[in-house]
Amino acid sequence: ALRKEKSKTDALLLNILPKETANELKAKNKVTPQHYDKVTILFTDFKGFTKMAEILTPTKLVNEIDLCFRAFDQIIGKYKIEKIKTIGDAYMCAGGLPTKSTNHAFEVVKAALDIRDFMEKYKAQRKSEGKPYFEIRIGINTGKVVAGVVGTKKYAYDIWGDAVNLASRMESSGDVGKVNISESTYKLVRYDFNCTHRGK
């Protein structure tokens, strides 16, 4: 019975933290912050979220968000991308951590395009049913971050740094249904994707 309960606890911890981080927390009861020179961060949010919140019941609103975020989870699961957190209608994930990789920018942009495609199908279906729908903005940036676990209750694995702030700005200044990438990300993926310069 103890072994079964431990297995449940371990599975729950792995649903909250990356495997390496969870193992360190179990072994040392603390997590050492890690510095990463280059990771690629993706932010999404929904245009018209406030309007949808006014139209839908709380249950239907949460169900719509859940439908989308479950799809995003599945998409990033195909790539080497770590989900960081959701904040309201915003979704944040990053490639290149906790396990370092060389193609994180490519993987994150691929995932972003898959998310965009999912949202286009979702929008078309909702429109055909005469129902309200979310539209998505997606922003990506590549740079340095510090990653770690904060607090002692409701553990949260998070990342910090200017690179995170810029990724958020890429999302908020992006166009609906497009993937807005920074110059640093562009330099890593310019030969893999067709990109359009949007200005300084």
Side-chain angles (χ1 to χ4, degrees):
L2 274 173
R3 208 175 288 119
K4 195 175 180 181
E5 286 306 310
K6 185 182 181 301
S7 179
K8 278 185 188 175
T9 305
D10 288 349
L12 186 61
L13 199 58
L14 288 172
N15 198 33
I16 299 167
L17 304 172
K19 187 178 179 181
E20 297 88 338
T21 308
N23 288 341
E24 185 181 355
L25 186 64
K26 284 192 291 181
K28 301 178 182 177
N29 209 28
K30 64 177 184 178
V31 176
T32 307
Q34 298 291 320
H35 179 269
Y36 295 89
D37 284 327
K38 206 172 267 190
V39 302
T40 301
I41 306 122
L42 179 151
F43 270 96
T44 77
D45 91 332
F46 297 129
K47 182 195 171 192
F49 178 77
T50 307
K51 187 180 175 184
M52 285 275 278
E54 291 169 359
I55 296 168
L56 300 175
T57 65
T59 302
K60 284 183 178 176
L61 181 68
V62 172
N63 286 344
E64 288 295 304
I65 297 168
D66 184 54
L67 173 78
C68 295
F69 284 178
R70 280 175 183 266
F72 298 178
D73 287 349
Q74 195 172 11
I75 288 165
I76 71 166
K78 294 191 302 183
Y79 304 96
K80 295 167 190 167
I81 300 171
E82 187 70 33
K83 181 178 179 180
I84 305 298
K85 59 186 171 184
T86 61
I87 314 140
D89 65 315
Y91 185 98
M92 178 187 177
C93 59
L97 58 76
T99 304
K100 294 179 182 180
S101 70
T102 54
N103 65 338
H104 50 82
F106 175 83
E107 297 273 339
V108 170
V109 173
K110 281 284 287 177
L113 293 171
D114 285 0
I115 287 171
R116 179 204 63 187
D117 292 346
F118 166 81
M119 290 303 296
E120 284 300 313
K121 288 176 187 170
Y122 158 87
K123 177 181 170 181
Q125 185 181 341
R126 288 294 184 270
K127 278 179 90 171
S128 72
E129 295 168 350
K131 294 179 180 176
Y133 52 85
F134 292 131
E135 291 186 288
I136 198 164
R137 280 188 297 250
I138 304 170
I140 296 174
N141 179 49
T142 303
K144 296 178 183 179
V145 301
V146 173
V149 174
V150 289
T152 54
K153 293 183 179 180
K154 295 185 180 177
Y155 288 119
Y157 179 79
D158 210 345
I159 58 176
W160 300 269
D162 286 342
V164 178
N165 300 331
L166 188 54
S168 177
R169 299 294 179 275
M170 288 296 103
E171 173 270 304
S172 59
S173 62
D175 287 339
V176 167
K178 304 283 186 182
V179 178
N180 198 35
I181 66 174
S182 67
E183 182 183 13
S184 59
T185 304
Y186 169 74
K187 285 177 178 175
L188 297 171
V189 301
R190 58 186 163 179
Y191 300 118
D192 300 304
F193 302 98
N194 292 321
C195 302
T196 303
H197 183 57
R198 298 191 68 223
K200 195 168 181 178

